[in-house]
Amino acid sequence: MIPDRTDGPTRQAGEHPLPPRLGLIEYFDFAPDRSRQEKQQYATEAALLADEVGYSRIWLPEHHGPASACANPLLLAAMLGTHVRRARVGSAVTLLRVRDPYLTAVEVGDAVGLSPNGFDLGIGRGDFGGPGSEILDHLRKSDRQFTAALDQLLELLDTGSPAIAPLDLPHERWMHGAGGGSAEVAGKLGLNYSHGLFLNPNLDACLQQFETYRSLRPDSGTTAVAMTVLTSDRSAATITDAHRRPVVVNCAGSVEECAQAVVRVQRMTGADEVVIAEVSQDPVAHSRAVKDIYEAVAGLCG
């Protein structure tokens, strides 16, 4: 649970608080015992509902494994970009450590072109581990190789090469992290920064990363906090699944409690935006929570 602290950025007396910009990470995977096609269907329905009610961004993660329904977030985000009416879409994250920079640049270009409301390329420094991960050993990069691949990807997007034209359509670039130096990388490369509170729930670590980032980009750059919430579906099975490593639940409770946690995190960190992943297993409960949390957050600041 998020502690009830009052330190952090404050507003002037009498100034009406504004609701934080709220985005959604649509996880796909928190629906066990369903086929990949069913998971994709339910997640797409929830994402379109989020677009309808007013979420600013809809991000898709990259998960590998036999039951994963989102091993290629760039492809699925591009599909989603052709359907949403207002929200930006993007990846959170694209695992460049096990991806080819050239092919990633090609996919990013296609995704941006198919997303008229805006596309966000989210890069993570993480890896794909667990059973079967050895199949990607030939692609896996060391930290030094990852840095080189990231530089190559950004260069391909900015200036192109004899094999690919530069990407001249507007889009946003994000680095995602949880306290391991990604904020510094984002600041130095001119990327936005999103801190994964569901990977590292230590708020002090989040504040430290934001301080590092803002020292490098004092007058530009967007910050976000990504957090998990669990509401409506409170079964033991759900909580066990939602706590599977490396993900932890930042707030499990009623819609009102989760909305309060969202607002509290934004005010304590000073983040420009909060992006939530609602992890109820039941698709109906999940969609209801996506809608109700957004309305509750707006109501707290309205």
Side-chain angles (χ1 to χ4, degrees):
M1 297 289 289
I2 300 300
D4 188 8
R5 287 169 40 181
T6 56
D7 54 325
T10 59
R11 297 180 179 273
Q12 298 295 321
E15 186 178 356
H16 195 67
L18 297 174
R21 286 174 60 86
L22 194 59
L24 178 72
I25 299 179
E26 188 48 58
Y27 246 84
F28 283 77
D29 283 355
F30 289 106
D33 303 322
R34 295 185 174 92
S35 68
R36 176 181 301 189
Q37 290 73 22
E38 287 176 313
K39 291 181 180 182
Q40 291 177 341
Q41 175 188 342
Y42 294 141
T44 300
E45 290 173 353
L48 294 177
L49 175 62
D51 174 55
E52 180 181 336
V53 301
Y55 283 79
S56 59
R57 305 176 189 273
I58 303 169
W59 287 343
L60 308 181
E62 179 171 341
H63 286 166
H64 294 273
S68 175
C70 193
N72 190 345
L74 293 174
L75 172 64
L76 293 172
M79 175 277 296
L80 188 60
T82 66
H83 288 76
V84 298
R85 295 185 297 174
R86 291 174 292 184
R88 303 181 64 87
V89 299
S91 59
V93 298
T94 297
L95 295 177
L96 188 59
R97 194 173 293 271
V98 292
R99 287 191 173 275
D100 176 78
Y102 168 77
L103 293 178
T104 301
V106 171
E107 290 186 350
V108 171
D110 290 340
V112 171
L114 290 170
S115 307
N117 296 317
F119 189 86
D120 301 334
L121 168 62
I123 299 293
R125 299 165 69 208
D127 198 350
F128 160 43
S133 60
E134 66 279 357
I135 198 171
L136 294 179
D137 283 348
H138 66 294
L139 295 173
R140 188 163 286 109
K141 303 170 184 64
S142 66
D143 287 347
R144 180 185 59 81
Q145 291 169 328
F146 171 86
T147 299
L150 178 56
D151 290 342
Q152 183 182 16
L153 171 62
L154 297 179
E155 183 177 0
L156 286 169
L157 294 176
D158 288 337
T159 63
S161 76
I164 183 174
L167 179 57
D168 57 1
L169 295 175
H171 60 286
E172 292 185 11
R173 300 173 186 177
W174 289 77
M175 175 64 71
H176 296 250
S182 294
E184 182 177 1
V185 173
K188 289 180 176 179
L189 294 179
L191 311 178
N192 299 320
Y193 176 66
S194 176
H195 190 86
L197 207 62
F198 56 84
L199 296 174
N200 181 1
N202 186 325
L203 273 171
D204 289 331
C206 177
L207 290 170
Q208 183 178 23
Q209 293 303 303
F210 278 177
E211 182 179 355
T212 297
Y213 178 76
R214 289 166 180 148
S215 70
L216 295 167
R217 304 197 71 191
D219 301 317
S220 60
T222 302
T223 56
V225 174
M227 59 184 292
T228 48
V229 295
L230 173 63
T231 181
S232 300
D233 180 355
R234 298 297 306 282
S235 69
T238 298
I239 295 175
T240 298
D241 187 59
H243 276 85
R244 66 189 180 187
R245 293 182 180 274
V247 174
V248 298
V249 174
N250 298 124
C251 182
S254 67
V255 167
E256 291 73 20
E257 290 170 330
C258 290
Q260 290 168 2
V262 168
V263 173
R264 192 158 58 243
V265 163
Q266 190 274 331
R267 292 178 181 171
M268 291 165 59
T269 63
D272 297 306
E273 306 181 19
V274 177
V275 186
I276 66 168
E278 203 288 323
V279 296
S280 295
Q281 289 184 352
D282 179 71
V284 175
H286 171 63
S287 292
R288 183 171 60 246
V290 166
K291 177 177 182 293
D292 291 349
I293 289 174
Y294 183 89
E295 293 175 349
V297 168
L300 286 172
C301 304

